[in-house]
Amino acid sequence: VRIMTKNAQPYIIKLLTLFVILFVTFPVHADMTKARKAMAADDFETAFKEYMENARMGNMFAQYIVAQMYARGEGVKRDMREAANWYGLAADRGHVKSQNNLANMYMDGFGVLQNFTEAARWFKRAAERGNYLSMASLAELYQHGEGVEMDFDKALVLYHEAAENGVRKAMNNLGFMHFGGHGVQQSYKLAYRWFSVAEFAGDTQGAVNKFDMRDFLSDYDKSQAELDAQQWLADHPDSLKKIEEN
């Protein structure tokens, strides 16, 4: 009988690891494929069942989808508490969109008790991972001092980064900050410019805000502000990309 040498042991370990990958991990991906096909076919009940199976196994993407389906009532009765629970599990595992969505639920009090401190905590985690929607929402909390100490400077930095990457809400809120002189010198012209930026980027609220300012500036100043807005958009092409909601 041949006795296994110490030198052979690492190879055995590698083979066992490969076995685990092939026979444990692979079925999870197969089930996810089935879930995606069911979702594409609008077979939400089957999709929910398959995603839930993977979610219970700890797949953070499946946990995120399950949360989405609970929030929308797709394939399962709408339940915002369950949505928050599954977003929380995925968020803890580092799923950025889940972190942003959980933060929104804490900010609005959907499925959880309203808690601005928790909202800020999750927005920060998602913003640190580059989620521009979270940056804009965190900026709002800094602007109003909700869940964090009021800090106009931090709000402005976050709004600018989010605006430069396509978040229309950030463009509008920069307009409001200039309109009210929050952290910046008060300027109706700059407020009008930011509302124009939002409008030209395709945001209807920007157009409404701009219309509401029609009597605050001369026609010449409004025209100049619009030219400045067009130039800003040309200088920041990423601002025109569409940021998908989570």
Side-chain angles (χ1 to χ4, degrees), residues 168 171-176 179 187-230 233:
R168 279 50 167 168
M171 300 170 186
N172 276 304
N173 286 354
L174 282 167
F176 285 122
F179 185 89
S187 171
Y188 290 144
K189 186 174 181 179
L190 285 176
Y192 194 88
R193 187 193 78 164
W194 277 112
F195 293 145
S196 297
V197 166
E199 179 193 27
F200 296 157
D203 184 67
T204 55
Q205 188 58 50
V208 171
N209 294 334
K210 196 172 101 171
F211 179 79
D212 289 341
M213 284 196 67
R214 63 192 181 279
D215 296 328
F216 283 80
L217 296 169
S218 67
D219 289 341
Y220 175 80
D221 283 341
K222 285 186 285 188
S223 177
Q224 289 299 307
E226 288 179 343
L227 289 174
D228 289 345
Q230 291 171 345
L233 288 167

Side-chain angles (χ1 to χ4, degrees), residues 106-180:
Y106 274 115
M107 187 162 68
D108 298 328
F110 290 153
V112 293
L113 292 176
Q114 189 176 52
N115 187 324
F116 291 117
T117 301
E118 278 296 293
R121 182 170 76 89
W122 285 110
F123 279 138
K124 283 179 181 178
R125 287 186 62 174
E128 288 169 356
R129 297 279 300 281
N131 187 291
Y132 299 116
L133 292 170
S134 287
M135 291 180 194
S137 296
L138 180 59
E140 281 188 292
L141 296 180
Y142 277 120
Q143 180 183 353
H144 300 292
E146 294 175 328
V148 290
E149 186 176 348
M150 185 180 290
D151 191 324
F152 291 143
D153 290 338
K154 288 183 178 179
L156 286 165
V157 169
L158 289 165
Y159 276 144
H160 274 285
E161 185 166 0
E164 290 170 8
N165 286 279
V167 182
R168 279 50 167 168
K169 177 173 70 171
M171 300 170 186
N172 276 304
N173 286 354
L174 282 167
F176 285 122
M177 293 195 78
H178 283 282
F179 185 89

Side-chain angles (χ1 to χ4, degrees), residues 25-186:
T25 305
F26 181 76
V28 172
H29 290 292
D31 288 344
M32 290 285 283
T33 300
K34 185 177 179 180
R36 293 188 184 100
K37 287 181 178 179
M39 184 72 85
D42 290 338
D43 182 359
F44 296 125
E45 289 187 6
T46 299
F48 179 80
K49 178 182 176 181
E50 296 295 330
Y51 278 124
M52 176 60 83
E53 183 177 339
N54 284 276
R56 286 172 175 158
M57 294 174 67
N59 185 303
M60 69 178 180
F61 180 77
Q63 291 170 342
Y64 161 71
I65 296 297
V66 165
Q68 291 282 71
M69 297 186 80
Y70 268 119
R72 296 170 180 168
E74 294 177 336
V76 67
K77 184 178 179 181
R78 190 169 188 260
D79 190 326
M80 297 307 290
R81 288 186 179 181
E82 281 294 325
N85 174 57
W86 286 103
Y87 278 139
L89 291 171
D92 281 334
R93 288 180 173 272
H95 192 270
V96 178
K97 286 187 176 182
S98 293
Q99 292 171 346
N100 179 72
N101 289 2
L102 183 61
N104 278 317
M105 296 186 84
Y106 274 115
M107 187 162 68
D108 298 328
F110 290 153
V112 293
L113 292 176
Q114 189 176 52
N115 187 324
F116 291 117
T117 301
E118 278 296 293
R121 182 170 76 89
W122 285 110
F123 279 138
K124 283 179 181 178
R125 287 186 62 174
E128 288 169 356
R129 297 279 300 281
N131 187 291
Y132 299 116
L133 292 170
S134 287
M135 291 180 194
S137 296
L138 180 59
E140 281 188 292
L141 296 180
Y142 277 120
Q143 180 183 353
H144 300 292
E146 294 175 328
V148 290
E149 186 176 348
M150 185 180 290
D151 191 324
F152 291 143
D153 290 338
K154 288 183 178 179
L156 286 165
V157 169
L158 289 165
Y159 276 144
H160 274 285
E161 185 166 0
E164 290 170 8
N165 286 279
V167 182
R168 279 50 167 168
K169 177 173 70 171
M171 300 170 186
N172 276 304
N173 286 354
L174 282 167
F176 285 122
M177 293 195 78
H178 283 282
F179 185 89
H182 301 308
V184 293
Q185 184 175 350
Q186 196 277 337

